[in-house]
Structures are given as C-alpha cells and as structure tokens.
Amino acid sequence: MHARVVTATAAAALGCVALLPPVHEVRADTAVRPSVIAHRGASAYAPENTLAAVDKAASLGVPWVENDVQRTRDGELVVIHDDTLRRTTDVERVFPDRAPWKVKDFTAAEIARLDAGSWFDAAYAGARVPTLKAYLDRVERHHQKLLLEVKNPELYPGVEQQILKVLGNEGWLDRRHVTDRLIVQSFSAAGLRTVHRLKPGVRTGLLGAPAVRSLSRYAGYADLINPSHTALTPAYVDAVHAVTGPHGAPMRVFVWTVDDAATARTVAGYGVDGVITDKADVVRRALYRRQG
Ligand code: G3P
Ligand code: CA
C-alpha cells in the first residue's frame, strides 16, 4: 500500500488554494478491504457529481469516487446522473420552454450556464455540471481513484470509445491508472463488452446481480459484479469470487448504496471488496474505527 498526503501547502504550490478544502489525507487503500467508494462523490454532503462532491470526498480522506457520464447535443461528455437536467440543476428556470430537458438536447455551453448546486444547498450555488475532462483533472489533483459509470450508453452511440479517448488524453490509461486507479462500470453489459474490446487492459464492473449460472458469461469482459446491497447474500459474493475474471484474478464485488453502519458491517462480513456509499465517513467509521 502506498500513501499520498496532499496538504494545504501542496495545494498552494499547485495554485489551487481557492478550489480545494484546506487539508486532505487521501490514502490509496489497495491493501484495505473493502474499499470505500464515494457515490457520485460525497453526495450526502455536497451536490452529487459536482467538483464540490469530489473535493468533499477528498476532505473526508476517501480514495475512491464514483460518477456518471453522459453526452451533450454537441458531443461533450459531462458528469450527471439523470438523463434529464431537471432534478439537479435550475434548467427549468433558465430554459423554461425546453421540456423534457434531456442532457442530449442541450449543448455544453448551455449546460455550463446551469446552477447544479442550489437544489442541494444554497451554500453550493454556482456549482456546475462538470465536463468529464474537468472531473478527471480534479480527481487526479486529489490523487483519488475513479469508478466511472457509463450511463445509458444506448442513448449515446459510440460513447464508450469517446470516454476512452478522453481518459487516454487525460493520462488515465497509463499502466498506473489502469492497474490501480480506474474501473469503468455500467448497467449495460453491451457497453462494458465494448469497453473491454477497445481497451482490454481497463478493469470493468457490471452493475446488477446476474444469476450465478450466468456469471461465467460475463467473466470474459467484467472484472467486477456490482449489485445493490438489497440483492446481496454471502453465497452470491462467494459465487462471484469463485469465477476468474478477464485479467486472471477472481471477480470482485463492489456493493451499492450502503449508507448506514449496520449494513456496512453486514456486507463487509459477506466479504465484499468495495462499499459504494453516499456517506463515506459513516462507512469508514463503521469498518475501520481503529484507523480513525
Ligand atoms: O455505483 C453504483 C450506483 O451508482 C448505481 O446506481 O443509479 O446511483 O447510478 P446509480
Ligand atoms: Ca452511478
């Protein structure tokens, strides 16, 4: 295991004091199981999928963040969960005549005008829907790891290739990132198959809980199976671990979305490899209390 500590001094050296919380201790937790993953960033405490949510995860000392990637009308990749802008921005106020406010119907410049923070808390007024490029830059700056979700690839033909291109351009497909700092996940098995075909070195995770008898079918291109905690049993975790994934290691399990201490301890007891949570501090405390 290696450790990275980013201090306010280091942030100042990077010229980003105004952007970063004052002190971070971000630990790569390759030797710690299960990993804790901040779902849509630290989304219980900052508006989901914004740079503020990445910063908050860093300030909590959480090495992994999860996000959701979609595409604008003019082909920009942006980080947002829903396929409409309605729930997490002020799009209805800014563009009242553009219902149903689909991400794919707006240009990047239009989306850049939207406030993606006020719906969550007035303190976050002015937060923006980040581009994938800006998001990667922030995650990198914090030395975090990324669980990138390809959202609704059926709506965005070619999006898998486009995501890989941006990842490559931003330095996220080098050996260090691919082996330790990046996993691409999706509910779409076809989307993951495409990612694996285009970049076989990238680790991938299939969201959902496919039947045990079908796990070997996914093992050709999925390194992880990532189910909801409501679908999880110890036997299911064992069954996934018994299958060898595309990179020669046992398939892993990252479970979502676990926000309370009791459930975190339960799924850890099942042997999961990662816990995806809106409340990373709660889960960390539940699982690693002695580490503070
Ligand atoms: O990472 C798991 C989780 O993000 C999948 O569900 O709807 O929050 O993207 P959703
Ligand atoms: Ca997601």
Side-chain angles (χ1 to χ4, degrees):
M1 180 170 103
H2 68 281
R4 298 298 297 261
V5 176
V6 180
T7 64
T9 310
L14 290 167
C16 52
V17 158
L19 298 174
L20 301 178
V23 177
H24 312 131
E25 181 183 346
V26 176
R27 299 184 309 174
D29 60 348
T30 46
V32 178
R33 288 290 179 265
S35 298
V36 179
I37 301 105
H39 181 234
R40 310 180 195 174
S43 56
Y45 311 114
E48 64 182 56
N49 279 323
T50 63
L51 300 185
V54 177
D55 293 344
K56 185 64 188 175
S59 73
L60 293 173
V62 182
W64 279 95
V65 291
E66 188 262 4
N67 73 2
D68 303 286
V69 178
Q70 312 215 38
R71 191 166 72 197
T72 67
R73 192 174 88 194
D74 53 344
E76 183 78 57
L77 297 175
V78 290
V79 178
I80 186 167
H81 179 271
D82 300 359
D83 67 357
T84 85
L85 296 152
R86 199 170 171 188
R87 180 177 62 87
T88 57
T89 77
D90 60 348
V91 69
E92 286 179 88
R93 186 184 63 75
V94 180
F95 297 105
D97 55 348
R98 297 276 294 276
W101 300 285
K102 295 273 188 189
V103 174
K104 68 180 177 60
D105 294 335
F106 285 76
T107 66
E110 288 170 338
I111 290 175
R113 288 173 54 193
L114 303 177
D115 181 341
S118 292
W119 70 274
F120 183 84
D121 190 303
Y124 289 101
R128 300 295 162 193
V129 175
T131 62
L132 176 59
K133 185 177 182 310
Y135 193 96
L136 291 172
D137 179 58
R138 187 61 63 94
V139 174
E140 182 68 44
R141 202 181 297 175
H142 287 306
H143 306 285
Q144 289 160 305
K145 306 181 186 197
L146 178 61
L147 177 58
L148 182 156
E149 182 176 344
V150 184
K151 208 71 175 166
N152 309 317
E154 62 284 354
L155 295 179
Y156 312 111
V159 73
E160 302 90 344
Q161 183 161 27
Q162 196 180 350
I163 288 171
L164 290 168
K165 189 164 194 304
V166 173
L167 286 167
N169 289 346
E170 299 306 308
W172 276 78
L173 295 184
D174 65 12
R175 194 175 143 74
R176 192 168 50 95
H177 285 80
V178 163
T179 56
D180 189 46
R181 293 183 53 195
L182 175 68
I183 297 171
V184 174
Q185 68 172 359
S186 186
F187 284 102
S188 165
L192 284 190
R193 214 168 34 231
T194 300
V195 169
H196 183 72
R197 178 173 53 78
L198 294 171
K199 288 284 174 198
V202 171
R203 290 175 297 166
T204 64
L206 179 66
L207 284 158
V212 168
R213 67 178 175 283
S214 67
L215 289 174
S216 57
R217 195 189 315 155
Y218 301 106
Y221 56 89
D223 300 86
L224 297 93
I225 299 291
N226 296 346
S228 163
H229 74 87
T230 56
L232 201 68
T233 64
Y236 192 79
V237 176
D238 289 347
V240 174
H241 285 165
V243 179
T244 300
H247 297 102
M251 293 176 88
R252 304 287 184 199
V253 177
F254 280 12
V255 66
W256 47 278
T257 301
V258 175
D259 289 342
D260 68 277
T263 308
R265 289 194 198 99
T266 298
V267 296
Y270 293 175
V272 300
D273 305 282
V275 180
I276 300 168
T277 174
D278 297 344
K279 297 182 176 177
D281 55 336
V282 171
V283 170
R284 271 179 67 124
R285 209 176 306 125
L287 300 184
Y288 304 115
R289 190 175 308 170
R290 267 189 262 159
Q291 296 177 22

